[in-house]
Amino acid sequence: MKDLLPELCDQFESLVHVVEPMFMNVGGKERFGGQIVTLKCHEDNSKVRELAGQDGTGKVLVVDGGGSLRRALLGDLLAAKAAANGWEGMIIYGCIRDVNAIGEIELGVQALATHPMKTEKRGLGDVNQTVTFGGVNFVPGHYVYADNNGVLVAPHELLVSEV
């Protein structure tokens, strides 16, 4: 199987935006992609829990945690919930925990780092607004693709079946 992102970059160079290298690929799915759903939150994963409980078929949750390295925005229970609800993956601009268990769940997960501390639950977070990190805008409804080579964003679905 060919690596997804290099092929997409070769085929669609003028269309894709590559996120600066900063993420580690830790989920049970090494390569994933789908329509972007965004969440902006800071050290509070209440909305991650809420969204993980919704139908995520064909979607990737992009969580802008402000790059915080002080709390984990995703753990194994929420990852399992998201997988059960059809989410393709999550990109966390922040930390996760339960990394070994998440590696066994059929969900793509990329994050900055791991941290064992859970978040506070204050019910805060903004859903489906454009978020920016790694030099790229993540626009709700656009598409994101990820594998061991990194993360890229495109304004529409790319024909990955040809890759």
Side-chain angles (χ1 to χ4, degrees):
M1 176 186 325
K2 291 184 179 181
D3 286 331
L4 176 63
L5 266 60
E7 292 296 319
L8 291 177
C9 286
D10 290 351
Q11 289 182 31
F12 304 103
E13 183 176 355
S14 64
L15 185 65
V16 300
H17 300 280
V18 178
V19 178
E20 295 168 358
M22 65 179 81
F23 293 103
M24 55 184 202
N25 198 4
V26 295
K29 289 171 110 174
E30 279 193 356
R31 59 189 255 177
F32 61 97
Q35 193 171 35
I36 295 171
V37 175
T38 65
L39 169 61
K40 187 174 182 77
C41 60
H42 184 72
E43 298 180 5
D44 179 350
N45 72 348
S46 303
K47 297 285 184 177
V48 175
R49 176 179 306 282
E50 182 181 310
L51 290 167
Q54 297 175 6
D55 180 20
T57 304
K59 298 177 184 172
V60 174
L61 182 58
V62 176
V63 181
D64 180 354
S68 173
L69 300 177
R70 300 186 312 187
R71 302 266 179 171
L73 292 171
L74 179 70
D76 62 335
L77 297 178
L78 292 186
K81 185 177 199 174
N85 284 309
W87 288 89
E88 296 296 325
M90 294 186 181
I91 297 171
I92 311 286
Y93 185 51
C95 292
I96 65 164
R97 66 189 209 161
D98 304 315
V99 68
N100 293 330
I102 287 174
E104 300 295 318
I105 296 169
E106 189 63 19
L107 181 74
V109 177
Q110 293 216 5
L112 292 179
T114 60
H115 196 291
M117 185 66 70
K118 67 181 179 178
T119 68
E120 296 178 20
K121 310 290 189 274
R122 300 181 310 267
L124 302 176
D126 297 314
V127 178
N128 275 339
Q129 68 177 26
T130 299
V131 298
T132 303
F133 54 84
V136 172
N137 293 324
F138 294 84
V139 179
H142 285 193
Y143 284 77
V144 64
Y145 300 92
D147 70 8
N148 287 326
N149 295 285
V151 178
L152 65 79
V153 174
H156 57 76
E157 187 172 19
L158 302 177
L159 299 176
V160 295
S161 60
E162 296 176 10
V163 177

